[in-house]
């Protein structure tokens, strides 16, 4: 699996060394929160611009924001390689997917734990990635919600049956145990925050997580 360390549980006063500490990660996950779609505020597109100076990793940008159609361009201009928005946050997901892809950037769609997986049906043939939230969006360090496993299983089954090309990413409460559980049901990318950033041997953890 790909491990995408979540730039949420880190020390924002030491950006360069924080990036250095995860230099073997192929992806970096940016948890953008606007204080409207979710209660917390984290950072905006300027964080991606700052980090781009120290990193040429794949910028996996998770927009937990209201009206993403009005903001996604700033994140693309700041260096995002993938823009994932929430189905619950926009009135026209279809045109947003196409607008992102027209800019030669990957488009991902995400749902919160209580949103029914069937609501994603109309978009599965189009998106490059589906992000399953295995915790309630809003903060790091929460416990993995096991009902996420059924959603991943469903998505994996669906893409096999229909030959869809999307990646399956899971975000929240990932450690060695939950990484293995999500891998076993078809997950391709794991977002990992506190399990990596609360420790010093980060690069070792990243390579171990990628090979569970
Ligand atoms: C929730 C955040 C977290 C974060 C991962 O809004 O999206 O899921 O990325 O945090 P941990 O790995 O600490 O659960
Ligand atoms: Zn995230």
């Amino acid at each position: 699996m790909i491990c995408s360390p979540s730039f949420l549980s880190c020390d924002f006063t030491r950006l360069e060394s924080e990036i250095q500490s995860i230099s073997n990660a192929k992806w970096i996950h940016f948890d953008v929160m606007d204080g409207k779609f979710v209660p917390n505020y984290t950072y905006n597109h300027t964080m991606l611009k700052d980090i781009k100076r120290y990193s040429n990793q794949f910028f996996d940008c998770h927009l937990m924001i209201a009206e993403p159609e009005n903001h996604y361009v700033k994140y693309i201009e700041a260096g995002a390689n993938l823009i994932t928005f929430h189905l619950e946050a926009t009135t026209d997901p279809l045109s947003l997917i196409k607008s992102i892809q027209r800019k030669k950037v990957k488009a991902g769609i995400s749902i919160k734990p209580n949103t029914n997986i069937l609501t994603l049906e109309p978009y599965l043939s189009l998106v490059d990635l589906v992000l399953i939230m295995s915790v309630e969006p809003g903060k790091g360090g929460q416990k993995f919600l096991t009902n996420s496993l059924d959603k991943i299983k469903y998505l994996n089954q669906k893409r096999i049956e229909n030959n869809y090309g999307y990646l399956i990413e899971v975000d929240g409460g990932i450690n060695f145990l939950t990484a293995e559980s999500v891998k076993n049901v078809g997950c391709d990318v794991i977002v990992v925050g506190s399990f990596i950033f609360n420790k010093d041997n980060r690069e070792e953890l990243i390579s171990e997580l990628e090979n569970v």
Side-chain angles (χ1 to χ4, degrees), residues 6 29-33 60 62-64 131 133 171-172 191:
S6 158
H29 185 86
F30 291 91
D31 274 315
V32 178
M33 301 180 196
D60 161 21
H62 178 194
L63 297 181
M64 287 170 272
L131 172 57
M133 288 308 295
D171 181 348
V191 176

Side-chain angles (χ1 to χ4, degrees), residues 6 8-9 29 31 33 62 64 133 135-142 171-174 191-195:
S6 158
L8 177 71
S9 342
H29 185 86
D31 274 315
M33 301 180 196
H62 178 194
M64 287 170 272
M133 288 308 295
V135 294
E136 194 57 36
K139 61 182 178 6
Q142 301 175 75
D171 181 348
I174 298 294
V191 176
V192 188
S194 44
F195 189 65

